[in-house]
Amino acid sequence: MKTMSTIRKGKLSDISVLAGHRRLMFEEMSRLEGKRITDEDLTRLENAYSECLKISLKNGQLSAWVVENDGNVIASGALSIIAWPPIPGDSTGKQALLHSLFVDEKHRRLGIARQIMQAMLAYCRLNNLRSVSLNTSRAGQKLNESLGFKIDTTTMRQYL
């Protein structure tokens, strides 16, 4: 399917689609990984992300990108700027966290995810964000590696 799509920065008016895409992303990842997420948990996540977007898009701590095709948003991704202690090679005290990358199933394998990732990385370079991280699904790992991401962490997490 040939697609004529355009990428643009996300706006406050895109919040419902951005939150919906994040929900769909987690829904799909859980299905592919054989995990179960309840509809209640997904709804709570979608609502919380909507609230996060309302604040973070306004104050500049989060930027989003959407891809439109024939007036419909078919893909999106976001980047959060987080305070981060200086580390060797990056004393800026901030880090970019790329997240919430989603492409509608009908539009996959057309380079749209790469287009969003490249836009986010260009934004990072322009804004002197030297340390860029993301959590990847198995489906996104090859793309992320082709863009220069490497698994180099010993991060551990506990949910309280």
Side-chain angles (χ1 to χ4, degrees):
M1 165 189 285
K2 189 169 180 179
T3 183
M4 291 298 294
S5 55
T6 57
I7 188 168
R8 65 170 173 78
K9 287 288 289 281
K11 305 177 282 195
L12 289 171
S13 59
D14 295 313
I15 287 176
S16 64
V17 76
L18 290 166
H21 280 180
R22 186 165 171 86
R23 177 191 180 116
L24 290 169
M25 178 192 75
F26 275 106
E27 202 170 7
E28 184 175 315
M29 283 191 321
S30 68
R31 186 177 63 252
L32 293 174
E33 295 173 9
K35 297 178 181 175
R36 170 128 167 73
I37 299 179
T38 66
D39 191 56
E40 182 179 281
D41 282 341
L42 288 167
T43 298
R44 195 170 21 256
L45 174 138
E46 186 174 1
N47 292 337
Y49 192 57
S50 289
E51 292 304 312
C52 171
L53 288 168
K54 285 176 191 169
I55 296 165
S56 299
L57 278 170
K58 282 181 186 176
N59 70 17
Q61 287 181 306
L62 184 144
S63 292
W65 286 261
V66 298
V67 176
E68 291 182 315
N69 181 274
D70 294 328
N72 298 310
V73 176
I74 58 166
S76 61
L79 173 156
S80 292
I81 300 171
I82 54 177
W84 197 259
I87 57 173
D90 184 1
S91 60
T92 62
K94 56 188 175 181
Q95 182 180 92
L97 174 65
L98 309 186
H99 58 87
S100 308
L101 183 62
F102 180 81
V103 179
D104 182 84
E105 203 167 354
K106 297 179 296 213
H107 300 277
R108 292 184 185 165
R109 312 298 270 166
L110 299 171
I112 294 171
R114 179 176 297 278
Q115 185 181 11
I116 294 171
M117 290 291 291
Q118 288 172 329
M120 290 193 288
L121 291 171
Y123 178 90
C124 290
R125 286 183 192 95
L126 187 65
N127 289 280
N128 197 34
L129 295 162
R130 300 189 60 208
S131 181
V132 182
S133 63
L134 55 79
N135 292 310
T136 189
S137 66
R138 287 187 192 112
Q141 192 167 349
K142 281 187 180 182
L143 168 65
N144 296 327
E145 288 172 344
S146 77
L147 292 167
F149 286 90
K150 294 173 181 33
I151 298 172
D152 70 345
T153 182
T154 55
T155 300
M156 297 174 73
R157 183 169 310 174
Q158 178 180 6
Y159 293 98
L160 302 175

